[in-house]
Amino acid sequence: MFEPLIWDDGVLKILDQTRLPDEVSWISCKSYLDVALCIKEMKIRGAPAIGIAGAYGVCLADDKEKAIETLKRTRPTGRDLFYTLERMKDSKNPLELAKQIHQELKEKNRKIGEYGIFLLYDGISILTHCNAGSLACCGIGTALAPIYLAHNKGMNIKVFASETRPRCQGARLTMWELERAGISSTLIADTMVGYAMKNKLVDIVFVGADRIAKNGDLANKIGTYQIAILSNYHKIPFFALAPTSTIDLSIEDGSKIPIEERSKDELGYNVNCLNPAFDITPHSLITGIITEEGITRKKEVEKGLLMPLLWG
Ligand code: MRU
């Protein structure tokens, strides 16, 4: 796998994801401000990887509190950054803890993959949006974790990646990851999801999540909501895969999740633009959520069978 960040002898090396797929280049962060800038400019992105970068960022600071406050102000939507910074706050040995959180995340991703693979079968075609692979989450990723494991087991699976305008994480990052791994993958523009579903090209949807509210509503990359609506219309199972650190039990429902608004320049036209980086998918459209603890489906929780953690 291609790790998005490496701690190397007092320096945090971040893979510059804004340059992929054309160029593999690394940025050396020597201070927490370098890390904060990399997060803000999306050199490193994806909620879990941002959380790990934030944890290492704290290790590069003389003033831990100031670093935590600065890092918290970089990107508001993803929950993992706030989760890791909260853990870093009281640590006596920050570097050891940052390394531990990093390692824990990789193990959680593997477990997510091991649960997710139960939903796959030979010949299945999976649609994913944005990038929730190793670049976004370290290890084998979250939404891509079952896909990597299934491929390693020799299963015949196909992946459709939606482009994910305006930053094109699907086209630039997911396609890069999957092609490097030798997994059969096809890019579609965001506008082609309905076509692909209507023509029975998609059997299941796997997406990541940036923050999950107590009732199971979730924030994920802009465009996720419309994919969930299309999945429901076409009766295609729609699953979100994320570590439990993405779940924010202090937030009752999706309407309270802060949505990051990014620069209009990202759309690439010199006109008035709206540019929310995320949208909210209501729990009613989600077939299930897969975490390192297992698969939770609304109907099973209602019957008292599974993880009463979610669906309030
Ligand atoms: O803006 P990004 O690239 O940091 O957003 C990442 C996402 O929204 C991904 O879709 C992902 O599912 C959540 S992080 C694994």
Side-chain angles (χ1 to χ4, degrees):
M1 305 316 312
F2 220 100
E3 282 300 309
L5 77 187
I6 297 168
W7 180 265
D8 182 16
D9 198 18
V11 174
L12 181 64
K13 291 195 173 152
I14 286 181
L15 174 64
D16 186 348
Q17 296 190 31
T18 63
R19 291 182 178 267
L20 287 174
D22 300 329
E23 194 186 306
V24 174
S25 64
W26 295 83
I27 300 167
S28 292
C29 296
K30 297 187 176 136
S31 76
Y32 75 88
L33 288 172
D34 293 342
V35 177
L37 195 64
C38 278
I39 296 174
K40 218 170 169 47
E41 292 185 344
M42 295 177 66
K43 308 283 187 197
I44 182 132
R45 32 68 50 201
I50 290 172
I52 301 302
Y56 282 120
V58 174
C59 307
L60 292 169
D62 298 326
D63 183 342
K64 206 204 279 186
E65 263 176 46
K66 199 169 160 197
I68 289 176
E69 279 320 302
T70 306
L71 287 159
K72 272 187 181 170
R73 287 200 301 273
T74 51
R75 296 195 70 194
T77 303
R79 154 80 177 156
D80 294 73
L81 176 65
F82 299 89
Y83 161 83
T84 59
L85 292 177
E86 209 46 50
R87 284 184 70 181
M88 291 301 289
K89 207 156 83 184
D90 304 317
S91 75
K92 301 268 176 294
N93 189 338
L95 183 56
E96 201 149 292
L97 181 59
K99 285 182 175 169
Q100 184 190 323
I101 298 173
H102 190 177
Q103 189 51 36
E104 279 172 16
L105 176 63
K106 291 192 208 176
E107 282 156 24
K108 287 177 192 174
N109 290 347
R110 177 154 290 277
K111 286 191 183 148
I112 289 171
E114 283 163 4
Y115 285 115
I117 201 173
F118 282 122
L119 301 170
L120 303 182
Y121 50 84
D122 222 37
I124 195 170
S125 170
I126 306 136
L127 171 74
T128 190
H129 184 58
C130 192
N131 171 261
S134 22
L135 292 169
C137 315
C138 309
I140 57 171
T142 53
L144 299 192
I147 293 169
Y148 283 124
L149 294 186
H151 177 72
N152 286 350
K153 281 194 165 171
M155 276 168 77
N156 167 28
I157 48 165
K158 278 178 285 184
V159 181
F160 281 94
S162 41
E163 185 182 17
T164 322
R165 281 276 294 148
R167 300 290 297 228
C168 300
Q169 291 94 326
R172 294 189 302 106
L173 307 177
T174 297
M175 287 301 291
W176 184 75
E177 268 198 57
L178 294 176
E179 280 186 349
R180 284 182 83 251
I183 296 173
S184 164
S185 38
T186 304
L187 174 66
I188 55 172
D190 300 320
T191 44
M192 298 171 189
V193 172
Y195 173 93
M197 288 185 175
K198 185 161 195 296
N199 287 287
K200 305 205 179 310
L201 301 177
V202 176
D203 299 309
I204 195 167
V205 177
F206 277 177
V207 294
D210 292 82
R211 194 185 295 234
I212 305 174
K214 192 176 172 187
N215 73 341
D217 293 354
L218 60 85
N220 194 50
K221 179 53 54 191
I222 192 76
T224 303
Y225 173 51
Q226 62 202 31
I227 293 176
I229 291 176
L230 282 164
S231 303
N232 271 250
Y233 182 82
H234 290 286
K235 303 201 173 10
I236 294 168
F238 178 99
F239 282 88
L241 300 88
T244 47
S245 50
T246 304
I247 301 172
D248 185 349
L249 294 176
S250 74
I251 285 190
E252 286 296 325
D253 61 65
S255 67
K256 316 279 182 331
I257 300 178
I259 299 291
E260 177 183 7
E261 175 78 29
R262 293 191 63 87
S263 162
K264 72 180 182 72
D265 299 343
E266 291 185 348
L267 271 80
Y269 299 98
N270 191 21
V271 292
N272 198 28
C273 300
L274 177 72
N275 188 16
F278 304 95
D279 57 25
I280 303 294
T281 299
H283 65 263
S284 57
L285 297 178
I286 302 168
T287 314
I289 294 177
I290 305 175
T291 71
E292 75 277 12
E293 305 279 348
I295 304 180
T296 179
R297 287 189 194 85
K298 189 175 190 321
K299 56 177 194 247
E300 285 156 335
V301 173
E302 279 167 353
K303 285 190 211 141
L305 295 176
L306 255 178
M307 277 178 74
L309 176 66
L310 281 167
W311 318 113

